[in-house]
């Protein structure tokens, strides 16, 4: 039985791959026209389809939306019961139907024509009513489905998915959509965390900033170091400009060297040190800390004034790994 199952699965994959391998040669004037229609539209792309075509259509709409083309899915039945009102003349409809003869089209196509809505077709029948009414037709036809009964949509749904991806990726690249644009559509994801977060989004502020003055004693700086647990204390002048940092290592070296707790922290601190700008990208700031092999740093604004503090754990908690 195991050999039978493996062979059946392998045959399905081979048939679907064989059908999909024909798609690249079908891209021509209609594909270019479909892509240009979407790019020139000032509205949205409304994707529609029934059954398996509808399931794939939802994915295509989601892919378009996440790659710079406003899009959503509308079920044909819902469209005929009110949702056509969501479609405007500046929009584009991408209708998916392998037969190109879904009965809902008899009512939908005239309404789209009345509103001057551009219609794009994705179908396996390039002489169907859908294809003939469309501005551009994308051919997803197959010689045979992978289903042994030639009934269940299999090879054709793979072709539909791939053609939708080809269209979305072509439009995305033509528009110059980049990683940062993608991140804005996925702010909760790892890419969003890496590209959208700036240091000021993650840094500690207010009382959470460990800071002392140049004239503060080593003893008080040590207490401030313990209070916040950041791993350093920022030492500032009276204008809130960073003059140095005082760390656990500085404290140990000071005491081992015979320094007293009553001395000024200015004598025991590390002068200067690394500072991060509040407006810099968090991922770049983290790389600075990693490269310098330090765990924390003060954060300054564009005027060089202390406005926060941050350590590596703050980056990790934000999903910047």
């Amino acid at each position: 039985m195991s050999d039978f199952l493996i062979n059946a699965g392998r045959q399905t994959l081979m048939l679907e791959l064989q059908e999909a391998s024909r798609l690249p040669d079908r891209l021509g004037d209609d594909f270019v026209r479909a892509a240009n229609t979407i790019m020139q539209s000032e509205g949205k792309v409304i994707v529609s389809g029934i059954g398996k075509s509808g399931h794939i259509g939802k994915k295509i709409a989601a892919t378009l939306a996440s790659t710079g083309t406003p899009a959503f899915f509308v079920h044909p039945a819902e469209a005929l019961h009110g949702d056509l009102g969501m479609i405007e003349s500046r929009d584009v409809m991408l209708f998916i139907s392998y037969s190109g003869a879904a009965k809902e089209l008899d009512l939908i196509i005239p309404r789209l024509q009345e509103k001057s809505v551009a219609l794009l077709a994705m179908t396996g029948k390039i002489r169907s009513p859908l294809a003939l009414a469309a501005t551009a037709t994308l051919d997803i036809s197959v010689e045979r489905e992978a289903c042994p009964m030639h009934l269940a949509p299999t090879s054709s749904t793979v072709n539909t998915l791939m053609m939708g991806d080809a269209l979305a990726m072509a439009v995305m690249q033509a528009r110059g959509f980049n990683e940062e644009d993608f991140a804005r559509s996925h702010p909760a994801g790892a890419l969003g965390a890496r590209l959208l977060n700036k240091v000021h989004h993650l840094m500690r502020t207010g009382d959470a900033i460990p800071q002392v003055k140049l004239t503060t004693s080593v003893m008080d700086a040590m207490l401030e170091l313990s209070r916040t647990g950041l791993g350093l204390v920022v030492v500032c002048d009276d204008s809130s400009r960073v003059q140095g940092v005082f760390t656990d290592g500085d404290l140990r070296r000071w005491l081992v060297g015979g320094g007293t707790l009553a001395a000024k922290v200015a004598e025991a601190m590390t002068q200067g040190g690394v500072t991060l700008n509040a407006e810099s990208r968090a991922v770049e700031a983290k790389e600075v800390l990693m490269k310098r092999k330090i765990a924390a740093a003060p954060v300054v604004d564009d005027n060089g004034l202390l406005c926060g503090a941050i350590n590596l754990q703050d980056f990790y908690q934000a999903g910047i790994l």
Side-chain angles (χ1 to χ4, degrees):
M1 178 60 75
S2 60
D3 288 343
F4 170 80
L5 294 173
I6 290 173
N7 288 333
R10 185 173 291 145
Q11 183 179 22
T12 299
L13 293 174
M14 293 302 295
L15 285 169
E16 291 183 346
L17 287 169
Q18 183 179 2
E19 292 293 347
S21 69
R22 298 187 177 98
L23 289 178
D25 291 336
R26 296 179 188 169
L27 303 188
D29 292 342
D30 273 68
F31 185 83
V32 172
R33 191 155 48 248
N36 282 331
T37 299
I38 291 173
M39 288 189 291
Q40 293 166 8
S41 169
E42 296 180 354
K44 309 169 292 296
V45 174
I46 295 89
V47 184
S48 191
I50 302 169
K52 304 299 186 296
S53 295
H55 294 307
I56 300 299
K58 292 177 183 177
K59 189 273 179 189
I60 293 174
T63 299
L64 286 167
S66 68
T67 55
T69 299
F72 61 87
F73 178 83
V74 171
H75 192 281
E78 297 295 336
L80 292 174
H81 288 83
D83 283 359
L84 274 175
M86 301 162 60
I87 303 173
E88 303 173 310
S89 59
R90 60 181 183 168
D91 296 332
V92 175
M93 173 168 273
L94 171 60
F95 201 99
I96 306 168
S97 171
Y98 190 82
S99 70
K103 57 183 175 56
E104 289 83 358
L105 287 168
D106 293 340
L107 296 174
I108 290 176
I109 290 176
R111 303 292 85 74
L112 298 178
Q113 292 171 339
E114 288 173 3
K115 291 187 173 187
S116 298
V117 174
L119 174 64
L120 305 179
M122 199 174 287
T123 181
K125 307 295 182 182
I126 59 173
R127 302 302 300 171
S128 63
L130 171 61
L132 294 175
T135 299
T137 299
L138 304 178
D139 182 3
I140 55 171
S141 62
V142 297
E143 291 184 5
R144 63 165 294 177
E145 298 286 6
C147 170
M149 297 180 293
H150 307 284
L151 296 175
T154 44
S155 301
S156 59
T157 53
V158 171
N159 275 13
T160 306
L161 178 64
M162 293 181 67
M163 187 65 80
D165 283 345
L167 182 62
M169 295 302 99
V171 170
M172 178 189 78
Q173 293 179 67
R175 283 182 166 158
F177 192 86
N178 58 32
E179 271 192 345
E180 191 161 339
D181 296 321
F182 187 87
R184 290 193 181 95
S185 299
H186 302 75
L191 182 62
R194 286 181 58 82
L195 296 183
L196 297 183
N197 277 322
K198 295 188 175 181
V199 171
H200 69 80
H201 293 131
L202 312 180
M203 69 184 187
R204 307 178 189 201
T205 59
D207 291 339
I209 304 174
Q211 58 180 309
V212 294
K213 299 295 186 183
L214 287 165
T215 55
T216 301
S217 68
V218 171
M219 179 66 170
D220 288 340
M222 181 182 68
L223 294 175
E224 181 71 353
L225 189 64
S226 300
R227 180 185 70 84
T228 58
L230 187 68
L232 61 75
V233 172
V234 187
V235 183
C236 297
D237 61 19
D238 292 336
S239 300
S240 293
R241 293 187 178 277
V242 178
Q243 301 300 308
V245 294
F246 182 67
T247 67
D248 293 323
D250 291 324
L251 176 60
R252 287 194 298 273
R253 286 187 289 272
W254 178 252
L255 294 178
V256 168
T260 67
L261 294 177
K264 294 179 180 179
V265 72
E267 300 175 35
M269 71 179 187
T270 296
Q271 293 190 4
V274 175
T275 59
L276 302 174
N277 187 281
E279 294 300 322
S280 62
R281 281 187 178 180
V283 64
E284 294 168 356
K286 172 182 166 286
E287 291 304 317
V288 170
L289 297 188
M290 297 290 288
K291 185 175 181 180
R292 299 293 292 270
K293 296 182 180 180
I294 56 178
V299 180
V300 297
D301 61 20
D302 289 338
N303 295 316
L305 304 180
L306 179 69
C307 61
I310 197 166
N311 70 1
L312 287 174
Q313 191 59 35
D314 297 323
F315 293 106
Y316 297 145
Q317 288 179 349
I320 301 172
L321 305 177

